[in-house]
Every structure is written in C-alpha cells, then in structure tokens.
Amino acid sequence: MHRHEVHALKPIVRLLLALIVGAAVGLIYGWVVQPVRYVDTAPGSLRADYRTDYVLMVAQAYAAEQDLQTAQVRLASLGPQAPADLVTAALTYAVDHGFTRTDLETLNQLAVALRSAAPAAEIQAP
C-alpha cells in the first residue's frame, strides 16, 4: 500500500468508528439510561393479546356483577367498535391461543348478553 492510500483510509475508519460509537451510546441511553415510559395510554392502543386480556377482565367483572351497562362502558374505552364485536374478536383470539375453558365460557357469556341486549344509545368511553 502506498502512503497516499493509507491516509485515505484514516478518515473512513474514523467515520465508521464514530458511527459505531454513536450508535452504541444512543442505544445505551435509549434502552438503559432513559427508556420510554408509557403513561396513561388508551386501552384502544393495546396489542391484540393485551386487548383480549382487557376484554376478559371486563367479562369476569360482568360475570360477578351482572351489570351489562357497566361492561359496555368499559368496552367503549377500546374504541368505536361495537362491544359485541370486541368480545367476539377477543373470543376468537382466545380460542386460537388456547385460553382455558373457563375463560372462553366467561367471554361467551358476555358476548351472548351483548348480542341479546336491545340496541342502546351510543355509549361513550369514560
């Protein structure tokens, strides 16, 4: 290698080293020092598995309280979709992912109650 070629490599090596060090520092800062903290996120932004867990908790509360209107209000926080459709989607997810028979029966109980209820005025999230 000629002397000119060695000098040409130094800036490239420095640039690559700086990029690697910068990326490493950025990742450490973002993941360890100051990670993102989600606070007061809307239930509607939940992933499918957590959304299903939320609907299951609403169904369990409904099974204990037998208060369909409260269950509808709780489900309304998941978004504009009809409460019965939310429970049906959760039931489908639960079946596909091997939830217990008790959980499936609890979700089904709420789904049946919502389907048999007379259509009420639109329910707003709290």
Side-chain angles (χ1 to χ4, degrees):
M1 235 183 213
H2 293 27
R3 185 177 173 140
H4 178 63
E5 291 173 349
V6 172
H7 287 293
L9 287 178
K10 280 189 177 183
I12 293 172
V13 171
R14 286 182 185 167
L15 175 65
L16 289 176
L17 185 60
L19 288 174
I20 292 169
V21 169
V25 169
L27 288 173
I28 290 170
Y29 183 79
W31 287 347
V32 178
V33 177
Q34 189 100 31
V36 175
R37 289 187 180 89
Y38 294 102
V39 178
D40 296 331
T41 57
S45 67
L46 295 173
R47 289 187 331 220
D49 54 339
Y50 290 126
R51 179 182 287 256
T52 301
D53 287 342
Y54 181 86
V55 173
L56 177 58
M57 286 185 277
V58 171
Q60 290 168 336
Y62 170 73
E65 301 166 352
Q66 294 297 307
D67 186 352
L68 189 59
Q69 185 175 4
T70 300
Q72 289 173 320
V73 169
R74 289 172 176 157
L75 291 171
S77 67
L78 290 175
Q81 194 174 3
D85 294 339
L86 290 167
V87 177
T88 301
L91 191 53
T92 301
Y93 183 93
V95 167
D96 292 344
H97 290 84
F99 279 46
T100 67
R101 183 173 184 82
T102 304
D103 289 345
L104 297 176
E105 289 171 358
T106 303
L107 286 167
N108 191 53
Q109 179 186 8
L110 180 57
V112 168
L114 289 169
R115 294 277 183 215
S116 65
E122 191 166 317
I123 298 173
Q124 298 295 321

